[in-house]
Amino acid sequence: MTKFTFAFERLLGHEGGYANIKGDRGGETYRGIARHYHPAWPGWQIVDEAKRLPNFPKSLEQDARLQSLVADFYKVEFWDKIAGDKISSQVIANELFDCAVNMDVADAVRILQKSVNALRSPESPPLSEDAVIGPKTIEVLNSWLSQSALHPAVASNALLSVMLVLRGTRYVNIVERSSSQKQFAYGWFRRIFRHSEIDGEC
């Protein structure tokens, strides 16, 4: 089964350190954790204290407790909520996890469900696109990955491709609705390009 540590280390390759960019809806962020959306995260106390000391924000990387809080946050708020440990493909778990972090859990799960439906045979009943990662979604996902006529690695790659297309479409819709978000478009699409490379075990 899949491993959180692998997905988390991969995620950190996309999430920067400390940032406070004008126009970012999340406001002040650290390792992708947005203060506007997660004001109660205990790591903010450490960040605020570090602001008064020399070498900020580089000093944050040396704080072991802060880094532990970052990992705990992503495990509880995203990995557990997408049932990452129950997904049979590390590749798909990586993408679902990253998509949930960059968008939200519900949107990421709906993209997964739509992608599975796009690839399943016409004879199979469609998976409900309810944005809930319940037992049925996990069962259908893992069953398709293992029982597909494709090799598991090929099946994961095919599903990943559809998920990335739908994810990219979502980004296009965002920038079309709000020109202020165009400044983030390059980073979003670069993230997709990086996730198009298979680097996990299926």
Side-chain angles (χ1 to χ4, degrees), residues 97-202:
F97 176 58
D98 187 79
C99 188
V101 170
N102 198 229
M103 295 182 179
D104 61 48
V105 172
D107 285 336
V109 172
R110 187 175 287 109
I111 284 175
L112 171 67
Q113 293 168 333
K114 284 181 177 291
S115 300
V116 171
N117 281 337
L119 293 173
R120 295 186 75 203
S121 66
E123 295 77 21
S124 302
L127 182 62
S128 175
E129 297 174 7
D130 58 3
V132 177
I133 192 82
K136 184 63 176 178
T137 294
I138 294 295
E139 177 188 355
V140 171
L141 169 63
N142 288 342
S143 177
W144 186 84
L145 288 170
S146 63
Q147 297 180 24
S148 167
L150 303 172
H151 184 277
V154 177
S156 290
N157 197 359
L159 183 59
L160 174 65
S161 297
V162 179
M163 292 175 70
L164 292 175
V165 167
L166 294 179
R167 185 173 174 180
T169 301
R170 168 72 186 246
Y171 290 144
V172 170
N173 291 337
I174 290 173
V175 297
E176 285 181 341
R177 290 196 306 267
S178 177
S179 60
S180 67
Q181 298 304 299
K182 287 185 178 180
Q183 63 179 312
F184 306 112
Y186 176 76
W188 291 340
F189 285 106
R190 183 177 62 178
R191 198 165 182 146
I192 286 180
F193 298 150
R194 289 178 177 174
H195 270 260
S196 67
E197 302 174 359
I198 303 297
D199 64 355
E201 297 181 359
C202 298

Side-chain angles (χ1 to χ4, degrees), residues 58-75:
K58 286 187 177 181
S59 59
L60 299 175
E61 309 306 313
Q62 309 303 318
D63 193 304
R65 181 168 177 267
L66 180 61
Q67 302 313 313
S68 178
L69 288 171
V70 170
D72 290 345
F73 171 84
Y74 281 111
K75 174 72 164 55

